[in-house]
Amino acid sequence: MLKFLLKRILAAIPVLLLVILITFLLIRIAPGGPFDRERQASPEVIENLNKRYNLDDPVYVQFFNYLGNLVQGDFGPSFKYPNRSVTEIISNGIPITAELGLYALMVAIGIGVVSGVIAALRPNTAQDYIPMSMSMIGICLPAFVLGPILVLIFGIYLGWLPVSGWGYQAYDKVLPSLTLGAAYAAYMARLTRGGMLEVLSQDYIRTAIAKGLPKWKVVLHHALRGGLAPVITFAGPAAAGLLSGSFVVESIFQIPGMGQFYLQAAFNRDYTMILGTTIFFASLIVIFNLLADVLLVWLNPRLRHSTLKN
Amino acid sequence: MAILEVKNLSVSFYTRDGETQAVQDVSFSLEAGEILGIVGESGSGKSVTCYSMLGLVPMPPGKIVNGQALYHGQDLLTMDEKSLRDIRGKKISMIFQDPMTSLNPYMRIGKQIMEAVQIHEKVSKKEARERAISALREVGIVDAEKRVDAYPHEFSGGMRQRVMIAMALATEPEILIADEPTTALDVTIQKQILDLLKSIQAKRDLTIIFITHDLAVIKSLANHVVVMQKGKIMEEGEAQQVFNQPQHDYTKKLLAAIPTTAKSFPSKVTESTPVLLDVHNLHTTFTKYSGIFFKKIEQEVKAVNDISLSIKQGEILGLVGESGSGKSTFGRSIIRLIESQSGDVLLNGVDLTKLNAVELKTARRDFQMIFQDPYASLNPRMTVFDTLAEPLLTHKLATRQDVGHQVNQLMDDVGLERKHLRKYPHEFSGGQRQRIAIARALALKPKLIIADEPVSALDVTIQAQVLKLLLELTDKHNLTMLFISHDLSVVRFLCDRVAVMQHGVLVELDETETLFNNPQHSYTQKLLSAIPALN
């Protein structure tokens, strides 16, 4: 098991390096630089700034300098906020963003899996069509539409929940979590339904019924484990996406998370900030995909015995 | 007194073509302690009859139109779900055809057996575990205390079927419904399972409904037989009577379809017939990985271990062996669908193992394969015409203009009507599909055909037709064939000579009748004695 993990972690390093290299080159190719403003600064100032951030070195030197700092855990200074480091900005945003992501993930898995199972129990009946149409709507509605709708209904008309903020009032975390998790819940519902339908048609389900087990036991004990495989595969990248924050949802609900920095960094040509957020996101993807793989193998005794060593 | 009485049972299914009757007006009764055999081909309704009694037919699309199934006077068909659950698995247990898929691969077998006990009886976990272990012991699982914690994939097919039987019997049911329990097993394993069922039945005075397509299996087991076709009972009676004096034409047809005789005409192969295929010292090895987590165990599996044999022009050589004996690997190694490690394969003097990729592609014209499952081996998105024309066009044996003529010829050869040419594979029955597969193999006029279990997936009457077709075609086109099969009676009916493989080694090779009448190797003797005999 350890060996398998080690191998996978080692394999992730070239992936991350490639991501860094591509991002590094792409942002240099993009027109404009970090110190371009509407009001042009004097050439001397720009030159000084370039010197200060080593932007006058050849690109490959800059790249290796950056890598060198990176392995020491230093993401470099932000170009936009001269007094703060990228590490500091990201680590300030993470707790809030991660909390939001975690709740959204719970929403996604909870609602998604339950409604998927319900739909799979009676395929092609109302019990199937209703949750599945809802999930189709969930996939089609982007967060910037769903968020305001939820705010209107629950925040303004019904007045049940606060319309914005994070941790200032009771229950103000509910709407953002729902908004962020909805689309993922919808995907998970469809994946669960598919996985469950596949498993429910297996011979061993018939065996379980023939034993005299009640239906809920057949589903919980025999079908769910195999039926969730596609969900888990999707949950890896989904978790990475949720935990790294969303610009849209954080803006709608005025949450001081990390989401805003992705966009701002790109607009400002804040090179180090772009790299920092990208690396953060890529690492999350790598980590959660690995977790999903481990979980899949652990759930399946056949894989547990054979795949791990290869 | 009858413990189970089925009266006028009719079951139908809603399909796209409307309502189809799967079971029509079926009645039979089951006496305590007897073994009732229900025989029929696929689609005869034999399984649906039993499944519907236990509420295992999904409704919809299924629907019970009419009838009763009285278990000790209570009608199972009108009973509420909760009461039926108390009977299902407790009083009436089931075992199924495919032990590989019928056990939950995610759950330890002990837990699966315990679950059956715990759902019906108030027992402690420890007690349930004891019951599971003793059930496993009863069905002959060695070291049951340890094996109870194993997963299904850690057992072989025969052992898994034993586990299934243990699970069904752990609740001490009155009736056991066995749905083709030995069909997926090798013949020697089949014999063991049948013997096991017989001994348990005698010991517990169990009542068994045994569903099968195989008359010979029924004959060795059942007291009473019901013959079904297309949802109806054709004949019913004491086993001896049904087998010795069948009354109904369908029963007679079923009995006649089982190949029991040798090849009906003498082999054209003589001493002077030239050799077509010559295999020398062929070795094919796989590396298998096993062991848990840290310990890596690499194991060389010699699937084909130093096999030499030759096939003469126009000869049909049977290759028999149980699953895992390497017979399919051998067939595939010859035509390089699997690369072998060493050895020569001479086809008409050309060594196939030495050909490069381009030469091999051209050479492939000379050998074709027919596979077991015509459902899987025909492209579902191509019409029959396209399937048959494709090889002719790729190998430039026909032009777009005259390909139609050749395709028609092929359809005639395999006994399919030309009007079906524009249809897709799913519109045909299993037997027709296998005919299409045969036509495709014949299209390029190959010198050698490798047929890998071509009739195993077919019903016995269809099998008889396809075998007859193969005999005619080999005779007409002077084909040479390597016929791979696990079914010894089929091999006897078709082949000039027979080779027996075990664990990758060729243990015996002889003229068919010599081998059947006087087997030399102990394994061949064991194989032959395991065949359930009809006469």
Side-chain angles (χ1 to χ4, degrees):
Chain A
M1 187 72 195
L2 261 178
K3 205 169 157 192
F4 167 77
L5 276 176
L6 221 72
K7 254 188 194 170
R8 288 292 307 263
I9 291 169
L10 286 178
I13 291 175
V15 173
L16 286 177
L17 276 177
L18 205 66
V19 168
I20 297 171
L21 179 66
I22 292 173
T23 318
F24 199 87
L25 293 178
L26 275 179
I27 54 181
R28 305 285 152 151
I29 293 169
F35 309 118
D36 295 344
R37 296 287 183 277
E38 275 172 29
R39 207 161 51 84
Q40 195 65 26
S42 67
E44 293 84 45
V45 175
I46 302 256
E47 199 178 314
N48 276 336
L49 280 168
N50 278 346
K51 199 162 229 151
R52 184 176 155 209
Y53 292 110
N54 297 322
L55 290 175
D56 50 355
D57 287 338
V59 172
Y60 69 92
V61 175
Q62 291 181 38
F63 179 69
F64 286 109
N65 278 340
Y66 182 77
L67 278 188
N69 292 335
L70 191 63
V71 287
Q72 297 163 27
D74 180 8
F75 284 86
S78 165
F79 294 167
K80 169 75 180 167
Y81 309 101
N83 300 322
R84 301 173 71 189
S85 72
V86 172
T87 321
E88 190 189 326
I89 296 176
I90 292 182
S91 48
N92 279 345
I94 285 178
I96 293 173
T97 291
E99 192 187 352
L100 170 63
L102 195 69
Y103 295 149
L105 191 65
M106 280 154 57
V107 166
I109 292 176
I111 297 181
V113 169
V114 170
S115 53
V117 168
I118 289 172
L121 286 181
R122 289 187 184 277
N124 304 323
T125 61
Q127 191 180 326
D128 178 17
Y129 292 142
I130 293 169
M132 282 307 110
S133 337
M134 301 256 303
S135 90
M136 204 64 227
I137 295 170
I139 291 172
C140 295
L141 276 186
F144 59 80
V145 176
L146 184 67
I149 292 178
L150 289 179
V151 167
L152 265 181
I153 297 176
F154 293 103
I156 295 177
Y157 296 149
L158 297 173
W160 291 350
L161 294 165
V163 295
S164 72
W166 189 257
Y168 304 128
Q169 314 169 50
Y171 306 117
D172 65 356
K173 295 177 181 175
V174 175
L175 284 182
S177 307
L178 274 178
T179 311
L180 185 57
Y184 289 91
Y187 274 115
M188 290 202 174
R190 299 187 94 73
L191 288 172
T192 308
R193 177 182 182 267
M196 288 298 285
L197 278 183
E198 164 119 23
V199 170
L200 285 171
S201 68
Q202 297 287 317
D203 286 350
Y204 64 84
I205 297 299
R206 185 183 57 193
T207 307
I209 298 170
K211 268 193 249 183
L213 294 183
K215 194 157 188 176
W216 64 269
K217 269 203 165 167
V218 173
V219 170
L220 281 185
H221 293 182
H222 289 270
L224 207 54
R225 202 162 178 181
L228 285 187
V231 181
I232 293 166
T233 314
F234 172 67
L242 287 169
L243 294 177
S244 59
S246 152
F247 170 73
V248 175
V249 174
E250 290 182 6
S251 307
I252 295 174
F253 294 98
Q254 294 169 23
I255 297 166
M258 257 185 69
Q260 47 172 325
F261 293 114
Y262 290 98
L263 219 58
Q264 282 181 13
F267 280 138
N268 296 332
R269 301 285 184 277
D270 191 345
Y271 291 165
T272 41
M273 192 67 206
I274 296 174
L275 277 166
T277 46
T278 309
I279 293 167
F280 174 68
F281 185 57
S283 317
L284 279 181
I285 296 237
V286 167
I287 291 167
F288 281 97
N289 272 328
L290 178 59
L291 281 180
D293 284 356
V294 169
L295 199 60
L296 279 179
V297 168
W298 179 75
L299 278 175
N300 190 335
R302 274 171 301 187
L303 292 177
R304 216 186 296 168
H305 286 194
S306 63
T307 324
L308 285 187
K309 319 152 303 306
N310 298 335
Chain B
M1 198 203 115
I3 55 172
L4 181 71
E5 222 178 337
V6 176
K7 286 183 184 165
N8 311 101
L9 179 68
S10 293
V11 183
S12 65
F13 284 92
Y14 293 106
T15 63
R16 243 189 297 178
D17 311 322
E19 207 178 318
T20 48
Q21 293 264 311
V23 177
Q24 285 179 51
D25 206 22
V26 163
S27 305
F28 60 85
S29 69
L30 191 65
E31 303 292 325
E34 80 166 341
I35 301 182
L36 171 73
I38 303 184
V39 213
E41 298 183 292
S42 49
S44 63
K46 56 192 192 300
S47 296
V48 175
T49 303
C50 295
Y51 286 17
S52 57
M53 289 191 295
L54 289 180
L56 291 179
V57 173
M59 306 196 193
K63 187 178 104 182
I64 290 175
V65 181
N66 189 24
Q68 288 180 306
L70 300 173
Y71 169 73
H72 288 297
Q74 291 171 280
D75 188 1
L76 298 172
L77 301 180
T78 53
M79 197 176 271
D80 65 276
E81 174 67 19
K82 169 101 187 41
S83 327
L84 183 59
R85 265 206 320 261
D86 291 338
I87 291 174
R88 187 162 68 200
K90 170 67 187 156
K91 300 288 181 193
I92 307 178
S93 284
M94 280 198 82
I95 56 176
F96 300 96
Q97 171 169 353
D98 194 345
M100 297 300 190
T101 57
S102 296
L103 290 166
N104 187 342
Y106 298 108
M107 216 187 250
R108 294 175 199 279
I109 58 149
K111 187 145 181 258
Q112 297 189 48
I113 301 174
M114 285 159 67
E115 191 182 48
V117 177
Q118 283 171 310
I119 196 82
H120 295 294
E121 293 168 47
K122 285 218 174 313
V123 290
S124 69
K125 214 171 160 189
K126 195 162 164 261
E127 228 172 311
R129 193 180 155 86
E130 287 304 314
R131 288 271 288 276
I133 292 171
S134 73
L136 286 172
R137 220 178 267 133
E138 188 182 355
V139 296
I141 302 277
V142 185
D143 215 2
E145 292 85 353
K146 278 199 190 124
R147 298 293 271 166
V148 72
D149 289 322
Y151 285 98
H153 71 267
E154 297 171 69
F155 292 85
S156 66
M159 284 297 147
R160 278 192 224 188
Q161 196 59 289
R162 283 173 195 261
V163 172
M164 272 300 286
I165 296 171
M167 192 162 87
L169 296 181
T171 53
E172 312 202 337
E174 218 175 342
I175 303 175
L176 176 72
I177 300 178
D179 186 7
E180 304 258 14
T182 58
T183 307
L185 303 174
D186 279 322
V187 57
T188 51
I189 310 292
Q190 162 168 299
K191 187 167 186 303
Q192 292 169 9
I193 296 288
L194 291 176
D195 289 345
L196 173 71
L197 281 175
K198 259 189 261 186
S199 77
I200 291 177
Q201 192 271 337
K203 199 168 77 194
R204 292 192 173 196
D205 201 27
L206 189 67
T207 312
I208 298 180
I209 300 181
F210 197 98
I211 305 169
T212 183
H213 69 285
D214 190 337
L215 286 154
V217 167
I218 282 279
K219 189 175 182 200
S220 67
L221 206 68
N223 322 103
H224 205 85
V225 176
V226 168
V227 181
M228 286 185 74
Q229 186 198 17
K230 292 179 185 156
K232 290 184 197 150
I233 292 185
M234 292 289 125
E235 184 161 358
E236 187 192 350
E238 293 302 311
Q240 287 313 313
Q241 188 209 328
V242 172
F243 281 100
N244 297 331
Q245 291 128 12
Q247 299 299 309
H248 197 278
D249 285 342
Y250 180 68
T251 318
K252 289 177 192 163
K253 193 177 151 201
L254 268 185
L255 285 166
I258 299 173
T260 48
T261 52
K263 195 169 173 173
S264 47
F265 48 84
S267 165
K268 286 189 294 188
V269 181
T270 60
E271 285 289 316
S272 58
T273 316
V275 169
L276 179 77
L277 178 79
D278 215 352
V279 180
H280 294 295
N281 309 97
L282 197 67
H283 286 267
T284 308
T285 324
F286 298 117
T287 315
K288 195 172 134 188
Y289 300 95
S290 57
I292 306 167
F293 300 137
F294 290 107
K295 284 174 284 175
K296 182 169 177 178
I297 304 164
E298 265 184 55
Q299 207 182 351
E300 294 262 288
V301 180
K302 289 181 176 155
V304 175
N305 191 359
D306 197 25
I307 290 190
S308 304
L309 54 77
S310 61
I311 308 179
K312 288 184 169 180
Q313 188 86 52
E315 186 181 35
I316 306 181
L317 178 73
L319 181 59
V320 296
E322 298 184 290
S323 48
S325 63
K327 55 188 194 303
S328 289
T329 308
F330 176 68
R332 282 157 204 232
S333 299
I334 290 176
I335 60 173
R336 283 184 61 185
L337 284 178
I338 297 173
E339 294 292 337
S340 40
Q341 273 69 42
S342 66
D344 305 321
V345 177
L346 300 167
L347 183 70
N348 262 347
V350 178
D351 192 344
L352 297 180
T353 59
K354 306 269 189 302
L355 298 183
N356 65 32
V358 181
E359 290 164 337
L360 183 65
K361 206 179 148 202
T362 332
R364 285 205 185 279
R365 246 168 65 180
D366 292 337
F367 42 85
Q368 291 292 318
M369 247 190 123
I370 305 172
F371 295 95
Q372 169 171 359
D373 189 353
Y375 292 74
S377 57
L378 291 173
N379 186 337
R381 286 180 184 77
M382 275 164 80
T383 62
V384 177
F385 183 87
D386 293 337
T387 300
L388 296 182
E390 189 189 38
L392 290 168
L393 294 171
T394 0
H395 286 280
K396 301 203 170 52
L397 290 181
T399 59
R400 289 234 165 255
Q401 286 74 41
D402 63 3
V403 74
H405 173 71
Q406 292 198 43
V407 169
N408 280 333
Q409 201 74 49
L410 285 168
M411 292 291 274
D412 296 346
D413 265 354
V414 297
L416 286 173
E417 286 184 59
R418 294 179 178 185
K419 66 174 182 193
H420 295 320
L421 271 173
R422 295 290 161 196
K423 287 190 178 172
Y424 289 90
H426 71 266
E427 297 174 80
F428 294 92
S429 68
Q432 286 174 320
R433 252 176 262 184
Q434 199 55 288
R435 282 171 194 265
I436 299 169
I438 293 170
R440 182 184 56 181
L442 290 178
L444 295 172
K445 303 203 168 47
K447 299 195 178 86
L448 174 72
I449 287 188
I450 295 183
D452 193 351
E453 304 264 12
V455 295
S456 311
L458 305 176
D459 277 324
V460 57
T461 54
I462 310 294
Q463 167 179 303
Q465 292 165 9
V466 173
L467 286 176
K468 213 171 127 241
L469 174 74
L470 283 174
L471 264 187
E472 283 166 13
L473 289 174
T474 44
D475 191 42
K476 185 175 159 195
H477 298 289
N478 198 28
L479 289 174
T480 311
M481 183 157 42
L482 177 68
F483 186 89
I484 301 168
S485 178
H486 70 284
D487 189 332
L488 290 139
S489 34
V490 165
V491 165
R492 187 177 194 178
F493 177 75
L494 197 70
C495 300
D496 301 306
R497 286 189 303 152
V498 179
V500 183
M501 272 183 82
Q502 184 194 19
H503 305 320
V505 181
L506 185 67
V507 297
E508 192 163 356
L509 172 65
D510 215 327
E511 303 283 327
T512 306
E513 283 314 296
T514 322
L515 185 119
F516 271 80
N517 294 326
N518 191 12
Q520 298 298 312
H521 195 274
S522 60
Y523 178 68
T524 316
Q525 291 163 359
K526 191 176 143 204
L527 267 186
L528 288 172
S529 68
I531 308 174
L534 202 55
N535 35 22

